């Protein structure tokens, strides 16, 4: 049985006309596949409205009840859409996460999928040609409704594709794929035809919103090819898949940026064991995600530690540091919110040297000062003043030849 999973995002199901367009995509796919599992998001804006409603009712909405409420956005979508399929004489039925069930842990608001009852799904697929599944939701072992975090329908879709052995998981959205960088700030940004899971993970972690990050982790783990494409065109989109030699031949695949950064420096700390643990321990206890960390070499037994965090965590971080710094004997705590990071990403970096040198040279030519640097096997990240982000992105895009159309 050839099964295809197709997921449609909130803008794709926002109106009757758009849902009719989605029905066309599904019925076309039925010519090529025996069975289709359609995963839907809530209609654009519905999830936000439901969350707002919860906030009006309660100053601190109960997490489990909030999930029950917010999950209704997807319930509306699947009810409405399945009606349309039936009107076109397509054998279809809707399914909530709890009806399958898609079992998750009990982290309400950001639950993780534990298991999917694929036997039940295969049974239904014997009776129906299309199953329309509510994305973003599951339920605990004892039957309480959970949600998977904002944007979580992508993860529902990839998990279903993995559980059913779907040939591919198509993620339909309002853009026609993954771009070499943000087309809003770089007019020569190009759509990428194929991208490796690792690269996509790095792009997503930098805030490229096209895929829910956990969906990419899932796809990589279970080797599900994911195709990101537009509901409104016939473009084949971008295939997110396993790395191959053609990808390695490309030095840099994309340039990503993240303005949501703040930098904190502790000056003149004693250079003795335990200092870093004393700085970062309390931050991790509060769930504050520290990203880049730099410790200077010791000068006369003293050192500076600088790190970055998401901007919204700055206030809490400074409060924690106000407590930690005097205990450690730091001279002062400095911070800066007008910073942003820019990354060049590509699996090709593993086998080629010189990416860092080229990055620095390109920025130097424009007089952009580099505040911090961090590297991994497939990524080089620099922290710069926020006002230079757009310029830096365009320069690096050009430096690594991303505006050349190689196809
Ligand atoms: N409706 C949910 C959200 O807006 C899940 C999704 O669309 O993927 O976050
Ligand atoms: Mg989304």
């Amino acid at each position: 049985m050839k099964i295809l999973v197709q997921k449609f995002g909130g803008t794709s199901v926002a109106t009757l006309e758009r849902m009719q367009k989605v029905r066309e995509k599904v019925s076309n796919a039925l010519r090529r596949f025996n069975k289709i599992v359609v995963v839907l998001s809530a209609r654009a804006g519905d999830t936000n409205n439901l969350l707002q409603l919860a906030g009006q009712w309660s100053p601190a909405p109960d997490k489990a009840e909030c999930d029950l409420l917010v999950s209704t956005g997807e319930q509306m979508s699947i009810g409405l859409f399945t009606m349309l399929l039936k009107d076109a004489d397509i054998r279809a039925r809707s399914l909530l996460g709890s009806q399958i069930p898609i079992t998750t842990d009990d982290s309400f608001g950001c639950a993780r999928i534990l298991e999917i009852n694929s036997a039940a799904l295969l049974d239904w697929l014997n009776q129906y040609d299309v199953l329309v599944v509510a994305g973003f939701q599951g339920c605990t072992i004892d039957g309480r409704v959970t949600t998977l975090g904002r944007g979580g329908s992508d993860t529902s879709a990839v998990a279903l594709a993995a559980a059913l052995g779907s040939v591919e998981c198509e993620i339909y959205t309002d853009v026609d794929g993954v771009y070499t960088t943000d087309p809003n700030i770089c007019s020569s940004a190009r759509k990428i035809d194929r991208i490796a899971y690792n690269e996509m993970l790095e792009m997503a972690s930098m805030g490229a919103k096209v895929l829910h990050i956990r969906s990419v982790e899932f796809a990589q783990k279970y080797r599900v090819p994911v195709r990101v494409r537009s509901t409104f065109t016939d473009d084949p989109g971008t295939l997110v898949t396993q790395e191959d030699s053609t990808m390695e031949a490309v030095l840099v695949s994309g340039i990503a940026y993240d303005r949501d950064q703040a930098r904190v420096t502790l000056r003149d700390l004693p250079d003795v064991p335990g200092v870093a643990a004393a700085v970062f321990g309390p931050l991790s206890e509060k769930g504050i995600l520290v990203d880049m960390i730099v410790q200077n070499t010791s000068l006369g037994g003293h050192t500076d530690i600088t790190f970055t965090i998401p901007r919204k965590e700055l206030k809490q971080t400074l409060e924690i540091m106000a407590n930690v710094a005097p205990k450690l004997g730091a001279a002062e705590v400095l911070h800066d919110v007008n910073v942003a990071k820019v990354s060049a990403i590509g699996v090709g970096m593993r086998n080629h040297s010189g990416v860092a040198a080229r990055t620095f040279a390109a920025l130097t030519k424009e007089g952009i000062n580099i505040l911090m640097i961090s590297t991994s096997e497939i990524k080089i990240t620099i922290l710069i003043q926020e006002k230079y982000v757009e310029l830096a992105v365009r320069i690096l895009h050009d430096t690594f030849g991303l505006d050349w159309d190689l196809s």
Side-chain angles (χ1 to χ4, degrees):
M1 187 157 62
K2 256 173 87 184
I3 302 171
L4 179 68
V5 174
Q6 297 184 302
K7 180 256 169 179
F8 295 89
T11 49
S12 303
V13 294
T15 62
L16 172 59
E17 290 69 34
R18 290 186 177 184
M19 274 205 191
Q20 284 164 337
K21 186 95 204 135
V22 170
R23 176 171 66 184
E24 229 174 272
K25 294 271 180 203
V26 173
S27 63
N28 283 343
L30 262 181
R31 296 199 195 111
R32 290 176 294 122
F33 294 85
N34 307 102
K35 305 285 174 178
I36 311 287
V37 174
V38 176
V39 179
L40 299 184
S41 283
R43 292 173 304 159
D46 280 0
T47 307
N48 286 343
N49 290 340
L50 289 162
L51 282 167
Q52 229 175 37
L53 200 62
Q56 285 165 12
W57 252 246
S58 163
D62 179 85
K63 285 192 168 165
E65 301 309 337
C66 196
D67 270 9
L68 182 80
L69 171 72
V70 171
S71 71
T72 58
E74 274 71 13
Q75 181 164 346
M76 285 204 271
S77 292
I78 62 169
L80 290 167
F81 184 65
T82 311
M83 285 175 200
L84 291 188
L85 292 181
K86 292 193 150 178
D87 287 347
D89 291 326
I90 295 173
R91 294 194 310 155
R93 77 155 282 178
S94 60
L95 284 165
L96 295 170
S98 56
Q99 290 174 313
I100 297 174
I102 296 176
T103 311
T104 70
D105 64 15
D106 61 0
S107 314
F108 296 100
C110 56
R112 281 182 180 266
I113 296 175
L114 300 175
E115 204 185 335
I116 292 180
N117 185 352
S118 48
L121 282 167
L122 291 170
D123 263 356
W124 279 310
L125 284 173
N126 281 325
Q127 300 169 52
Y128 300 97
D129 293 324
V130 181
L131 297 178
V132 184
V133 178
F136 180 53
Q137 56 175 258
C139 68
T140 62
I141 290 170
D142 46 4
R144 303 220 63 179
V145 173
T146 52
T147 66
L148 310 181
R150 300 304 309 268
S153 300
D154 296 342
T155 301
S156 311
V158 174
L160 284 161
L164 292 169
S166 165
V167 182
E168 199 171 276
C169 179
E170 293 186 330
I171 305 274
Y172 283 90
T173 176
D174 49 6
V175 293
D176 59 7
V178 180
Y179 276 70
T180 47
T181 194
D182 181 356
N184 295 316
I185 68 169
C186 180
S187 58
S188 55
R190 263 185 324 105
K191 198 200 72 189
I192 302 172
D193 293 331
R194 289 155 60 81
I195 185 168
Y197 294 123
N198 277 337
E199 294 173 325
M200 192 63 233
L201 275 176
E202 296 285 9
M203 302 276 257
S205 71
M206 289 286 288
K209 296 227 166 38
V210 62
L211 282 178
H212 193 225
I213 191 158
R214 218 179 273 164
S215 74
V216 187
E217 288 165 2
F218 229 101
Q220 181 170 37
K221 185 161 169 202
Y222 296 100
R223 301 187 173 201
V224 180
V226 174
R227 189 176 290 281
V228 181
R229 57 194 309 188
S230 166
T231 307
F232 310 108
T233 68
D234 288 322
D235 195 287
T238 300
L239 186 67
V240 188
T241 183
Q242 267 166 280
E243 200 176 312
D244 63 28
S245 53
T246 59
M247 294 174 186
E248 279 159 20
V250 180
L251 193 56
V252 169
S253 305
I255 308 294
Y257 67 95
D258 186 357
R259 295 179 194 272
D260 179 26
Q261 296 283 303
R263 179 172 64 143
V264 175
T265 300
L266 276 80
R267 288 240 313 104
D268 240 355
L269 287 161
D271 188 18
V272 292
V275 169
V279 171
F280 297 112
L283 293 174
S284 103
E285 269 164 34
K286 294 284 180 210
I288 296 174
L289 282 180
V290 175
D291 184 12
M292 300 168 92
I293 300 178
V294 171
Q295 178 179 328
N296 292 355
T297 42
S298 185
L299 274 176
H302 280 73
T303 185
D304 297 343
I305 292 183
T306 302
F307 57 92
T308 65
I309 42 161
R311 242 174 239 181
K312 64 175 186 309
E313 316 275 23
L314 180 64
K315 192 166 162 274
Q316 204 186 359
T317 302
L318 291 177
E319 280 164 17
I320 296 171
M321 289 306 120
N323 183 29
V324 168
K327 280 190 203 150
L328 292 175
E332 56 183 338
V333 180
L334 306 170
H335 70 273
D336 187 354
V337 283
N338 299 314
V339 293
K341 61 179 180 174
V342 177
S343 298
I345 295 160
V347 290
M349 277 182 214
R350 266 204 293 261
N351 308 319
H352 298 85
S353 58
V355 178
R358 279 170 71 183
T359 301
F360 304 150
L363 296 170
T364 306
K365 225 168 104 192
E366 297 297 327
I368 300 175
N369 190 28
I370 299 170
L371 306 173
M372 288 172 89
I373 302 165
S374 80
T375 59
S376 77
E377 217 186 4
I378 66 160
K379 181 169 81 162
I380 166 148
T381 303
I382 47 147
L383 191 80
I384 55 175
Q385 291 295 326
E386 188 184 357
K387 63 181 179 202
Y388 294 125
V389 165
E390 303 193 357
L391 179 61
V393 166
R394 283 196 286 264
I395 286 168
L396 294 181
H397 196 263
D398 182 49
T399 299
F400 292 108
L402 292 177
D403 32 10
W404 306 338
D405 191 355
L406 298 175
S407 56

